């Protein structure tokens, strides 16, 4: 209580620390001011000079002479700097206004080229010396982009020369990145090579940047094979980052580089992991250069590393990267080697995007892999098959969209899939391929392999001979446990897709037969699919399809029909005539329906041109009933030279 009273009665004193400079001042004084300043209140007259000299705060330095300034001079200098900044801002604002005014004129559509060229030259002249600053402005950067689009080559070179020292900085700017990509599009080979060389040592850091990664991807797309290699090898190893001349164009694959330079696999793996992990964590996986790095990473990754990457990619993230060739292959590897939980995430991530994925070249191959590998047919039917059914006609007529349908109708058909597509479907991760085989043999054995996964790191190359010892082993490597025929039956027939597909073919028979891509789907449907999977369940609907095609063939050959339909008769069209010919050769039921409903008694009318090949197919058929059906009417046409048919075909038909 006594202490509290003493505090109230006496003035508050600051706590003193022995040995400090504040001991020399009066406890009642405020914070000390500079000695030459005027006192702000009467009490400051009691302020006495300390016994020890006090080190004054320097008010400023003369930028030219580097000598201390007095407080008054410092204030004047600060005022001058403020005024200069104000004037600079005003000049910049005025320049922006002038450029915006020119921009409104030059971007009009009804302006002549000469007038636009004058306006562009005027704007470039005004921006000269300030282009890097203008490129970062959200207003005037658009003016600069328009100028680069329409200016002359000499002006483009001048702009590029001024921007070149700042390109790496501008590459990470939200507004300037558009200008940088446009400059790269218009750059000469020498300028592009110089820019790619300037990226050396910065590729990994730029790929971790949302904006900077766009510039690296753009340069990667524009570069030739050697320049692409230059950007890639930096992500493989620190040695390759420091000594880029170690790698030539011939060593394109990471495995070849490791074997030639005798690099340590563990060191390369650590470096690539440090590069890839931050990129995956930030979700910057849209670029093809990253997809290429991931493919190479899987060739050397150990089981734990590869599994970790697959877990990170499984889900909606994977949908964003399957639009490129390498991204599609990464997606297929994730489907093959992912667990049931990860496959479920991948399929659910495709929800509401199946149509767009199917229409994409790379995405369609991922769907093909899903339909060939995943055993959870109920989930695939719910997410994938139902969305395919909703857009069936568009998919059938599309080059890429038909692929998942053809995979179910005729799996891995060399007629419909290129060798590169089939090679992509057979890819596997070396360190995980053994795991897949053990999974299919026994679930207990699989758990034991997973526990000791790090003990066996896997070979650098896929042991193809071991994987392909027999057909069953090949299927095991692909990752599915269910019998392929059962899976195919559940996805195509039991899901209702086949029935809907036959209906679409019947309703649009003429359009599909004349289509370069639709003709293949309608052919597979009409023949019942590989192994006759559509028989006998859908025989009635297939007969309706045969009737629809026959009714189109039965239409009269006249000029009026051509003018009304504005298209060729079904037998005179290049695509449809060849498809109908193949159906006659491969489907006796269709051949019989077509003959009886459309061609009987009319063969002489169609004996020449594309339609002549269709008529001749009846004699080329391997089925004796079809051959016998048409021989009586066609033989006189052959004897009279009206219908031409190869002698070998006639001989083979006669023997039968």
């Amino acid at each position: 209580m006594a202490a509290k009273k003493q505090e109230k009665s006496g003035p508050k004193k600051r706590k003193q620390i022995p040995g400090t400079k504040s001991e020399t001042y009066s406890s009642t004084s405020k914070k000390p001011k500079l000695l030459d300043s005027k006192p702000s209140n009467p009490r400051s007259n009691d302020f006495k000079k300390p016994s020890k000299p006090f080190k004054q705060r320097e008010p400023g330095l003369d930028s030219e002479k580097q000598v201390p300034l007095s407080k008054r001079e410092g204030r004047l200098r600060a005022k001058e700097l403020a005024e200069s900044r104000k004037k600079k801002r005003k000049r910049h604002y005025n320049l922006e206004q002038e450029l915006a005014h020119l921009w409104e004129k030059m971007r009009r559509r009804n302006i002549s080229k000469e007038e636009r060229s004058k306006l562009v030259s005027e704007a470039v002249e005004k921006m000269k010396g300030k282009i890097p600053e203008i490129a970062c402005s959200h207003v005037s950067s658009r003016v600069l982009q328009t100028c680069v689009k329409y200016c002359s080559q000499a002006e483009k070179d001048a702009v590029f020369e001024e921007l070149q020292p700042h390109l790496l900085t501008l590459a990470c700017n939200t507004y300037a990145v558009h200008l940088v990509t446009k400059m790269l599009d218009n750059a000469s080979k020498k300028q592009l090579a110089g820019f790619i060389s300037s990226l050396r040592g910065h590729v990994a850091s730029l790929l971790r940047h949302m904006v900077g990664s766009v510039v690296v991807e753009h340069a990667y797309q524009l570069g030739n094979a050697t320049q692409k290699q230059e950007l890639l090898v930096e992500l493989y190893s620190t040695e390759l980052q420091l000594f880029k001349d170690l790698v030539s164009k011939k060593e394109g694959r990471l495995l070849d580089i490791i074997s030639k330079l005798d690099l340590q696999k563990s060191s390369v793996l650590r470096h690539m992991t440090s590069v890839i992990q931050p990129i995956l964590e930030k979700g910057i996986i849209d670029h093809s250069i990253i997809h290429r790095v991931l493919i190479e990473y899987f060739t050397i990754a150990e089981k734990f590393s590869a599994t970790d990457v697959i877990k990170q990619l499984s889900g909606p993230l994977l949908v964003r990267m399957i639009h490129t060739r390498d991204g599609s292959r990464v997606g297929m590897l994730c489907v093959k080697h992912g667990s049931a939980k990860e496959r479920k995430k991948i399929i659910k991530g495709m929800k509401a995007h199946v149509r767009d994925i199917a229409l994409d070249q790379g995405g369609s191959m991922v769907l093909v892999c899903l339909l060939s590998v995943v055993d959870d047919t109920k989930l695939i039917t719910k997410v994938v098959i139902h969305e395919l059914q909703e857009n069936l006609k568009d998919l059938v007529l599309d080059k890429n969209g038909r692929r998942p349908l053809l995979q179910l109708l005729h799996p891995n058909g060399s007629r419909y899939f290129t060798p590169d597509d089939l090679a992509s479907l057979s890819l596997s991760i070396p360190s995980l391929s053994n795991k897949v085989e053990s999974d299919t043999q026994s679930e207990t054995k699989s758990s034991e392999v997973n526990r000791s996964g790090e003990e066996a790191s896997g070979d650098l190359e896929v042991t193809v001979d071991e994987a392909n010892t027999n057909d069953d082993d090949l299927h095991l490597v692909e990752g599915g446990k269910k019998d392929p025929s059962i899976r195919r039956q559940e996805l195509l027939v039991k899901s209702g897709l086949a029935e809907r597909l036959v209906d679409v073919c019947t309703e649009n028979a003429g359009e599909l037969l004349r289509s370069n891509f639709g003709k293949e789907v309608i052919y597979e449907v009409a023949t019942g699919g590989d192994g006759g999977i559509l028989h006998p369940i859908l025989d009635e609907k297939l007969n309706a399809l045969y009737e629809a095609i026959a009714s189109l063939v039965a239409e009269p050959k006249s000029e009026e029909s051509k003018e009304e339909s504005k298209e060729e008769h079904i037998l005179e069209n290049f695509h449809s005539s060849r498809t109908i010919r193949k159906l006659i050769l491969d489907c006796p039921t269709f051949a019989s329906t077509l003959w009886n409903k459309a061609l009987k008694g009319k063969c002489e009318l169609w004996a020449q041109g594309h339609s002549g090949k269709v008529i001749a197919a009846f004699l080329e058929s391997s089925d004796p009933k079809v051959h016998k059906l048409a021989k009586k009417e066609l033989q006189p046409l052959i004897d009279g030279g009206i219908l031409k048919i190869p002698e070998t075909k006639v001989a083979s038909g006669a023997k039968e």
Side-chain angles (χ1 to χ4, degrees), residues 303-320:
K303 287 187 177 181
F304 175 78
S305 304
T307 305
D308 187 50
V309 171
I310 291 173
K311 285 181 181 178
Q312 288 179 279
L313 291 176
S314 298
L317 206 64
L318 193 66
V319 178
R320 292 167 46 197

Side-chain angles (χ1 to χ4, degrees), residues 296-337:
E296 297 294 347
Y297 181 77
F298 279 141
T299 60
I300 65 167
E302 297 175 351
K303 287 187 177 181
F304 175 78
S305 304
T307 305
D308 187 50
V309 171
I310 291 173
K311 285 181 181 178
Q312 288 179 279
L313 291 176
S314 298
L317 206 64
L318 193 66
V319 178
R320 292 167 46 197
M321 62 185 299
I322 57 179
H323 60 279
T324 66
R325 179 175 176 269
D326 290 320
S328 173
R329 291 187 170 192
V330 171
M332 286 186 273
L333 290 174
C334 290
V335 170
K336 280 186 177 183
H337 298 287

Side-chain angles (χ1 to χ4, degrees), residues 381 389 486 488-498 537:
T381 301
Q389 288 179 352
I486 296 175
R488 185 168 159 238
Q489 183 80 17
E490 291 175 353
L491 291 175
L492 182 60
V493 181
K494 292 183 179 180
S495 66
L497 176 62
I537 301 173

Side-chain angles (χ1 to χ4, degrees), residues 584-604:
I584 293 171
L585 294 173
D586 299 336
C587 185
T589 307
F590 169 78
S592 178
T593 302
L594 182 65
W595 177 263
N596 293 324
K597 185 170 183 179
L599 295 177
K600 189 176 182 180
K602 303 176 183 178
C603 293
E604 187 175 355

